[in-house]
Amino acid sequence: MLSGKEVAKHNTRESCWIIVHDHVYDVTDFLSEHPGGSRIILKYAGKDATQEYDPIHPPDAITSNLPPEKHLGPVQPDTVEKVVVQITDEEKARLERMELRPSLDEILNLHDFESIAKAVMPEKAWAYYSSAADDEITIRENHAAYHRIWFRPRVLRDVSTVDFSSTILGHKTSMPIYITATALGKLGHPDGELNLTRAAAKHGVIQMIPTLASCSFDELVDGARPGQVQFFQLYVNKDRAITKRIVQHADSRGIKGLFITVDAPQLGRREKDMRQKFDAEDPAEVSKAGNDKVDRSQGAARAISSFIDPGLNWGDLKWFKSVTKMPLVLKGVQCWEDAVEAYDHGVAGVVLSNHGGRQLDFSRSGIEVLAECVSHFKEKRGLSFPNDKFQLFVDGGVRRATDVLKAIALGASAVGIGRPFLYAYSAYGPDGVDKALQILRDEFEMNMRLLGAPTIKDVVPEMVDASNIGSHIVAVPVDSLYNSNCI
Ligand SMILES: Cc1cc2nc3c(=O)[nH]c(=O)nc-3n(C[C@H](O)[C@H](O)[C@H](O)COP(=O)(O)O)c2cc1C
């Protein structure tokens, strides 16, 4: 067994060993390949890197990426010098804010989670979760677009009981929503995406597992209840053998839908995240980073995404169909032409999404694209929605059941919700997600009554006026939803 003293000698670029969960790894040759850059590893050269490693990586990332001969074996834990984490004054103040946060009973809506999360989350985590591309116009528009749709409720209908259950890709859900894929779940809470898996089980909704989850894929599948339906979001690797392995593994573990992300041939510039990362670096380390071929000072998002294939194209869909039986859904379609093309390629549906405003700034909201798709599908393919043969999903900016009902009325089969659940567990742990889903249930019940719709099928196009959906008024960046991208 190695001693901590021995490991500590290997603290240079020429010989770099690190400890993760009481095991020693020689990462010297891996430094230049690390998707997050070599700087961050070198900071822990010769030391215990577990604390830094855990929130960003699935537990098996190191063992599956390093050849077996680089696994040097266990270390005697009592000989390892503890990494002293300096608690700064800002961190002390943050912890105090966490102590003083309002009780969950005082949380009335999903917006509340966001403002509390902003106050209590570590800055780096807040920057990664809340950031969006460039001037953050699309992220604002995603929510603002719902303000341009108004209801035309019906009265004198028996709404003594309302049922808002529905189906997604043929699978039952208690509400017409699903928890969409968001990477790096452990930045906000040590249990990461498992918080979502558990709450999804309790409330009978479907979770989409992200490729870049901080928990391992198997942990998230094992964490599900028997029969719990899960989807998988796929970032397509340049190395198709890796993609094939991931997809077929998902298939074999019972995943019920493969959502291929198509709006990220390159990750958008999320400046809040980039700034945060850069500021967090030790200036001495920045100069050493000159050895790196790629500029790594671009925030968590860029650091983890260099494997994504910008060459992915329509021709690849045939290959996907040949390697899996899971229904394929394209996530990130942004105009009716691509939605129709997806239909013609025989996929099961599309998510009309701009990645929560994190990719192309000034791309339109999913809800606006939905309205455009529905009218063009009718004209070009004679198809009306909702439609079980080809489903339209929407995500981005959904914060109220009324937002969801607007999308359903316009023809969506279901709506994806991302950040609110991250903020909920970052601020309140698992109880936060439970509460967020309960709030949505309560909102569905009340608003369906007020709309005069006893079931989801009764939520029809005539119940909304979306005639202004295409009027783009850029929301001024002083609204209360999001702050400037400068921290
Ligand atoms: C922190 C964060 C991480 C995300 N990670 C991914 C990802 O790994 N893959 C993906 O396809 N979409 C990702 N998304 C986009 C979401 O799936 C979804 O499109 C978006 O969050 C919806 O907007 P909302 O957050 O306003 O609900 C991410 C979004 C956020 C906020």
Side-chain angles (χ1 to χ4, degrees), residues 267-279:
L267 267 260
R269 283 170 58 90
R270 298 132 191 199
E271 296 174 11
K272 199 189 314 179
D273 183 37
M274 290 161 73
R275 260 194 195 95
Q276 176 60 225
K277 176 73 195 248
F278 188 78
D279 291 346

Side-chain angles (χ1 to χ4, degrees), residues 393-432:
F393 305 104
V394 175
D395 78 23
V398 173
R399 302 294 181 264
R400 294 273 190 189
T402 45
D403 299 336
V404 182
L405 292 168
K406 290 172 185 178
I408 298 297
L410 289 176
S413 289
V415 165
I417 301 182
R419 290 182 184 85
F421 298 127
L422 296 178
Y423 296 144
Y425 76 61
S426 300
Y428 292 96
D431 294 345

Side-chain angles (χ1 to χ4, degrees), residues 180-183 233 235 261 331 353 355-356 395-397 399 418-419:
T180 187
T182 48
Q233 172 270 327
Y235 276 134
T261 299
K331 176 176 182 292
S353 163
H355 215 111
D395 78 23
R399 302 294 181 264
R419 290 182 184 85

